[in-house]
Amino acid sequence: MTADLRLHYAPDNASLCVRLALEELEVPYQTVLVDRAKQGQKSAQFLALNPNGLIPVLETPQGPLFETAAILMWLAERHGRLMPAVDHPDRMHAVQWMVWLANTLHPTLRMMFYPQQYADGDTAPTHRMAGMRLRAHLDVLAAAQTADWLDRDDPTIHACYLAPMLRWPALYGGGADWFDLAKWPRLHAFAKRTEARESARRAALAEGLGPTPFSHPSPCNPPEGSAL
Ligand SMILES: N[C@@H](CCC(=O)N[C@@H](CS)C(=O)NCC(=O)O)C(=O)O
């Protein structure tokens, strides 16, 4: 089967969420490395695909698609998997949590990883605030009864989106040992369950993420490219 999907990615970037879904769906896809070390995401070639200059982009038969959540939802709908169907009773909360991941959790992580893009001058207060917000978000998620996708054996696109976001704070949050996922036992169990899947193992191998990429992350050692 030839691949009609091309994932523009960098190791351990938000493209990992998309790779996890592609691996879970077992659909053929090609990868195109974006050279983060050379700011490849700001090149004219990349900006033609995503004028925001952000990774990931998925090239599809209908053209390039950007925004992690949009790509995940498009893939789920295209393949009729990883997300409850439009008329399913679970659909409402599934949409709610996708929007929350994209609109609440992910932007807070971006504030933490790129405080210079959110602060005028001193970045320390922005970084500190992002850390506080992150803990509060994870408290909400860990207590949420409607987030039943956290506890299920069969993954959804939420799992593909969340798992990398639980990995990154310990590695890119600035300073060692400030973030311990074990403080949220439900999320820690989710991370362990997710990384045990064959799809996650394949993604971890492709991007050099180590054996416990979500529950106990270590710095990535990718076969090509760099995370930053
Ligand atoms: N809202 C975007 C955020 C993507 C994002 O933050 N990508 C990061 C990599 S993980 C990036 O491209 N960073 C480079 C930059 O900010 O210049 C999405 O969900 O696709």
Side-chain angles (χ1 to χ4, degrees):
M1 221 190 314
T2 55
D4 61 1
L5 301 175
R6 275 159 59 93
L7 176 63
H8 293 254
Y9 92 104
D12 211 9
N13 277 223
S15 42
L16 174 59
C17 310
V18 178
R19 189 194 283 272
L20 284 169
L22 290 164
E23 290 293 339
E24 190 60 42
L25 290 166
E26 294 186 302
V27 292
Y29 65 98
Q30 294 173 20
T31 53
V32 182
L33 179 68
V34 182
D35 189 346
R36 284 287 314 251
K38 291 188 179 154
Q39 290 275 300
Q41 75 277 16
K42 309 297 183 205
S43 69
Q45 206 180 1
F46 189 87
L47 290 173
L49 300 171
N50 181 0
N52 300 291
L54 295 173
I55 301 163
V57 167
L58 186 70
E59 284 190 80
T60 81
Q62 287 93 56
L65 183 58
F66 56 79
E67 285 298 323
T68 308
I71 298 170
L72 291 172
M73 292 182 76
W74 181 82
L75 281 172
E77 273 154 24
R78 185 186 205 221
H79 296 280
R81 286 181 52 203
L82 306 184
M83 175 88 177
V86 173
D87 54 355
H88 193 284
D90 291 346
R91 173 78 176 192
M92 181 177 82
H93 286 124
V95 171
Q96 169 193 277
W97 284 111
M98 276 308 285
V99 174
W100 184 87
L101 290 168
N103 207 24
T104 300
L105 186 59
H106 200 170
T108 293
L109 290 177
R110 279 194 49 84
M111 280 175 69
M112 176 174 290
F113 304 150
Y114 306 100
Q116 71 285 358
Q117 294 184 22
Y118 296 84
D120 190 8
D122 184 9
T123 56
T126 305
H127 189 267
R128 207 167 38 247
M129 177 62 71
M132 287 165 53
R133 284 173 59 88
L134 174 62
R135 288 189 195 88
H137 295 334
L138 296 186
D139 287 346
V140 167
L141 179 61
Q145 287 188 2
T146 57
D148 59 341
W149 48 271
L150 277 172
D151 313 309
R152 288 174 25 181
D153 284 333
D154 54 325
T156 62
I157 47 175
H158 308 77
C160 302
Y161 203 171
L162 177 65
M165 290 202 277
L166 297 180
R167 163 184 169 78
W168 297 328
L171 299 176
Y172 309 110
D177 296 339
W178 81 275
F179 181 82
D180 181 6
L181 188 60
K183 286 183 185 145
W184 294 273
R186 187 183 181 196
L187 304 183
H188 198 227
F190 160 85
K192 284 186 169 172
R193 199 178 314 114
T194 304
E195 72 196 8
R197 295 191 66 80
E198 275 307 310
S199 54
R201 288 186 193 280
R202 288 194 296 272
L205 194 63
E207 302 199 7
L209 307 181
T212 53
F214 307 129
S215 68
H216 191 65
S218 53
C220 82
N221 181 19
E224 62 172 7
S226 61
L228 301 172

